[in-house]
Amino acid sequence: MNEYCETYIKISKDALIHNARFFKKDSQKKLIAVIKSNAYGHGLIEVGKILEPVSDLFAVASLDSAVSLRKVGIKIPILVLNPLASDYALVALEHDIMITVSSLAELKQFEQVIKDSESPLKLHLKIDSGMNRMGVKTSSEAKDIIEYNSQKLKIVGIYTHFHSADDEGLSKKQQKLFKDIYEALDTDFEYVHMCSTSAALNKWDLDFTTHVRIGLGLYGICESSDVKPVLSMYSKIMIKKQVLLNETVGYSARFKAREDTWIGVLPCGYSDGIIRANTGRKVYIDGYYCEIVGNVCMNSLMVKLPHQNVSCEVELIGPHISAIEIAKHLKTISYEVVTILPPHIKRIVE
Ligand SMILES: Cc1ncc(COP(=O)(O)O)c(C=O)c1O
């Protein structure tokens, strides 16, 4: 992590806790906090420590993230959402981490690897209700897994994932498929979950689920006035430079001054998650919205200043420029704006 750099990320503890409490209260379910991909770029360990007291389970994509959480003393249950190569099943067991299972063949491979262990490996069965990514599609496949008799394996959870939570017809179809399989199994699971952020906000949950599984909403970057953005990102103008009429700025001379212009140079670029498509969008400096001009470089970018004497503090993402607006400029989704912010940027929790 960079200590000696003026580009940094601020994480609001209050906003994170507020958002977690909102989803628990609104859904009346327990909370699975999705903190995969470095907690959506917010910082896995920082977010894990803040959310542990208000979460019932953490969901991550990789076993590595799960182990990192255990190593800093996180005690609550952890589930790995991505498929795990069976070779690593013992590591999961050693750190008391739950794994997602999507087929009987996979289940048998896990059993083989952990055959000499004392405690059972805890698993969540994934139901594919239409995403066509992971999970079983039929109740007979699900039954084969649930009824597979092994002292070494314990299926403690069952879940599915909505692929188009803003579409009522498609979501109702997924609800029905999940419900039919769940009922056919007639099993008491400790964890039954289906709703991610937009599914929870659209109220697609069913009575028999126990948890909601929330990512984006925890970070406050979904279209809801009930949540608060958690992340902001700042940098500093390190150099102010006057470019004269018709001079150009940066690689490929992309920006050409139409008049004598003050330019600010910031120590962050595409290797800091501010990708080249950010050219043309605004940052906020001293009460002014200032345009990023020229091609963004690997470690620096240039902004057009209203005059020489603006202060040097720059908001790249924050109260004046939301991740949602930036996503629109980049023609992507807000998930991508934050998850690409790399771990080397300092995170300050406030
Ligand atoms: C399986 C699964 N569950 C939950 C989530 C969280 O979704 P969201 O960030 O929309 O709440 C994701 C996100 O990608 C996911 O893949």
Side-chain angles (χ1 to χ4, degrees):
M1 188 182 63
N2 285 348
E3 277 294 336
Y4 314 114
C5 181
E6 299 298 330
T7 301
Y8 61 95
I9 286 169
K10 260 197 226 168
I11 299 298
S12 164
K13 185 175 175 177
D14 286 350
L16 201 48
I17 290 178
H18 164 89
N19 298 342
R21 289 202 175 122
F22 164 74
F23 280 99
K24 282 168 88 166
K25 187 157 180 246
D26 191 54
S27 66
Q28 294 293 302
K29 308 266 179 187
K30 291 182 183 163
L31 176 67
I32 301 176
V34 181
I35 57 171
K36 61 184 184 156
S37 297
N38 200 25
Y40 288 43
H42 290 55
L44 175 70
I45 303 303
E46 293 86 346
V47 168
K49 285 181 176 171
I50 297 169
L51 285 183
E52 183 171 32
V54 287
S55 306
D56 300 283
L57 188 160
F58 282 147
V60 289
S62 68
L63 183 58
D64 289 85
S65 296
V67 170
S68 303
L69 289 166
R70 285 284 183 254
K71 284 189 172 160
V72 295
I74 297 291
K75 298 270 187 300
I76 66 169
I78 303 176
L79 168 67
V80 174
L81 298 169
N82 257 21
L84 183 78
S86 57
D87 293 353
Y88 308 124
L90 277 172
V91 179
L93 202 54
E94 181 192 339
H95 292 278
D96 191 18
I97 288 157
M98 300 186 285
I99 300 302
T100 297
V101 63
S102 283
S103 71
L104 186 59
E106 201 189 355
L107 194 77
K108 289 179 179 172
Q109 284 168 7
F110 284 139
E111 186 187 35
Q112 197 53 34
V113 173
I114 59 163
K115 60 182 182 313
D116 298 326
S117 64
E118 280 172 15
S119 48
L121 180 67
K122 291 183 201 155
L123 299 151
H124 287 222
L125 171 60
K126 183 88 182 258
I127 305 299
D128 182 357
S129 55
M131 178 87 165
N132 274 314
R133 185 172 63 172
M134 293 169 63
V136 297
K137 282 184 158 171
T138 62
S139 47
S140 74
E141 287 171 285
K143 263 189 190 157
D144 286 347
I145 290 175
I146 296 298
E147 288 167 6
Y148 185 73
N149 199 2
S150 169
Q151 301 296 315
K152 303 291 173 195
L153 305 164
K154 201 169 166 193
I155 314 272
V156 293
I158 183 166
Y159 73 103
T160 195
H161 190 49
F162 288 100
H163 56 76
S164 306
D166 290 329
D167 183 309
E168 181 168 0
L170 293 173
S171 299
K172 288 261 154 80
K173 200 171 157 198
Q174 287 194 264
Q175 268 184 339
K176 182 173 173 348
L177 279 163
F178 186 56
K179 185 167 187 269
D180 287 350
I181 294 180
Y182 172 80
E183 285 175 352
L185 296 176
D186 195 21
T187 304
D188 241 353
F189 296 97
E190 195 179 341
Y191 306 93
V192 184
H193 41 112
M194 63 193 303
C195 279
S196 56
T197 300
S198 43
L201 291 172
N202 286 328
K203 307 281 177 226
W204 300 143
D205 224 333
L206 295 171
D207 289 352
F208 59 85
T209 67
T210 54
H211 293 65
V212 284
R213 203 175 58 244
I214 308 294
L216 198 69
L218 290 179
Y219 309 104
I221 37 182
C222 55
E223 304 273 3
S224 161
S225 53
D226 292 308
V227 296
K228 301 176 184 176
V230 169
L231 179 146
S232 46
M233 181 172 176
Y234 301 90
S235 191
K236 200 167 213 165
I237 298 171
M238 303 302 285
I239 295 171
K240 286 177 183 164
K241 184 180 285 279
Q242 195 178 35
V243 293
L244 303 177
L245 172 71
N246 287 334
E247 282 189 323
T248 64
V249 172
Y251 287 118
S252 308
R254 182 167 172 184
F255 174 76
K256 187 171 185 180
R258 294 215 180 99
E259 58 190 335
D260 294 356
T261 304
W262 281 96
I263 295 292
V265 183
L266 317 187
C268 74
Y270 56 80
S271 69
D272 303 291
I274 307 297
I275 59 170
R276 282 164 52 111
N278 278 280
T279 295
R281 72 115 158 147
K282 303 284 179 17
V283 300
Y284 189 77
I285 308 173
D286 206 6
Y288 297 95
Y289 286 92
C290 304
E291 188 178 332
I292 298 177
V293 293
N295 278 324
V296 173
C297 308
M298 190 183 294
N299 308 102
S300 49
L301 61 82
M302 283 68 93
V303 294
K304 188 175 171 205
L305 305 177
H307 54 79
Q308 185 185 3
N309 298 322
V310 285
S311 83
C312 291
E313 306 304 320
V314 182
E315 176 189 315
L316 289 159
I317 307 174
H320 302 94
I321 299 158
S322 71
I324 295 175
E325 288 167 54
I326 295 168
K328 283 181 190 145
H329 178 91
L330 300 179
K331 297 191 172 46
T332 184
I333 48 177
S334 48
Y335 296 79
E336 203 174 14
V337 173
V338 287
T339 52
I340 62 167
L341 298 174
H344 69 250
I345 301 176
K346 183 165 42 181
R347 268 81 176 161
I348 298 172
V349 176
E350 286 198 338

